[in-house]
Amino acid sequence: MNSEISREYAEALFALAKEENDTSGVLKSLDLVADVFNKNPEYLTFLNSLSIPANERTDAIKEALSGKISDCVLNFLCLICERNRANIFFECVEYYKDLYRFDKNITVVSVKSSVELSPQQKSKLKSKLEKMLGGSAEITYTVDKSLIGGMVIETNGKIIDGSLKTKLHGIKEVISR
């Protein structure tokens, strides 16, 4: 149930941001608020507290964030607070990001490598991936020493496994037949 509600709120927020030609600004504001909530979970607890009148919670939001985030996000926060739905904030942010990425033709890519990639390697890999994908790539890099060597790239449910671990496993399978 919350997922559907979160999606609806995110779609409405995205439509408004698009109308105001500020999808990037709204995304930055959402990230800023998410960072504040992650570092101070008691803020979200406060916004979810039904024992505090909604107008006091929305006044606190306005006092703390007015002028620091986009008006669109400020109004969104007040709305979910008034409707006692502050608990879906993070889910709404994720849906908003999905809509933003789709709109901007940005593909999410996960890269696991056996060692930390240098900035030059990351830049070269990003260029190749963007060329292959036909758009921008938002890449998350992680190190997985169990790969032994090489890397595993995952995007859109597809996996490109160029790890030494997988190659060795394949050789082992051939030998054991």
Side-chain angles (χ1 to χ4, degrees):
M1 177 87 165
N2 273 353
S3 292
E4 191 172 317
I5 293 167
S6 299
R7 186 178 299 115
E8 288 175 11
Y9 275 97
E11 287 172 354
L13 180 60
F14 188 78
L16 184 60
K18 189 105 168 138
E19 189 177 296
E20 294 183 4
N21 201 28
D22 192 27
T23 56
S24 296
V26 167
L27 180 61
K28 287 176 187 170
S29 291
L30 287 170
D31 282 340
L32 179 80
V33 173
D35 188 48
V36 169
F37 287 169
N38 278 321
K39 289 179 180 171
N40 306 285
E42 64 276 7
Y43 292 162
L44 201 51
T45 303
F46 167 77
L47 296 180
N48 280 316
S49 177
L50 299 179
S51 63
I52 301 168
N55 65 323
E56 287 183 30
R57 290 180 278 152
T58 56
D59 287 348
I61 291 169
K62 291 173 186 172
E63 186 179 321
L65 298 173
S66 190
K68 296 176 183 154
I69 60 173
S70 76
D71 288 342
C72 218
V73 173
L74 185 65
N75 293 331
F76 167 72
L77 287 171
C78 289
L79 178 67
I80 62 173
C81 189
E82 287 168 358
R83 295 195 176 164
N84 299 318
R85 298 211 181 269
N87 60 318
I88 66 169
F89 172 77
F90 286 106
E91 205 169 289
C92 290
V93 171
E94 289 309 310
Y95 283 122
Y96 184 92
K97 285 181 179 182
D98 289 344
L99 293 166
Y100 179 84
R101 289 179 191 121
F102 181 78
D103 185 62
K104 300 291 186 190
N105 194 26
I106 300 170
T107 305
V108 176
V109 180
S110 169
V111 174
K112 290 181 189 174
S113 58
S114 57
V115 295
E116 181 72 34
L117 299 177
S118 71
Q120 295 86 356
Q121 290 170 319
K122 288 179 181 179
S123 175
K124 190 172 181 179
L125 179 60
K126 183 176 173 78
S127 293
K128 285 187 178 190
L129 285 170
E130 289 179 339
K131 192 174 190 178
M132 182 179 85
L133 296 167
S136 297
E138 186 177 295
I139 306 173
T140 307
Y141 296 95
T142 55
V143 174
D144 182 352
K145 295 193 183 295
S146 74
L147 296 177
I148 304 170
M151 66 180 67
V152 176
I153 301 170
E154 186 174 353
T155 183
N156 295 331
K158 296 177 186 168
I159 297 174
I160 302 168
D161 192 338
S163 68
L164 187 54
K165 178 181 178 179
T166 300
K167 289 177 184 176
L168 289 173
H169 182 70
I171 291 170
K172 180 182 173 185
E173 290 290 317
V174 170
I175 291 172
S176 64
R177 288 187 197 163

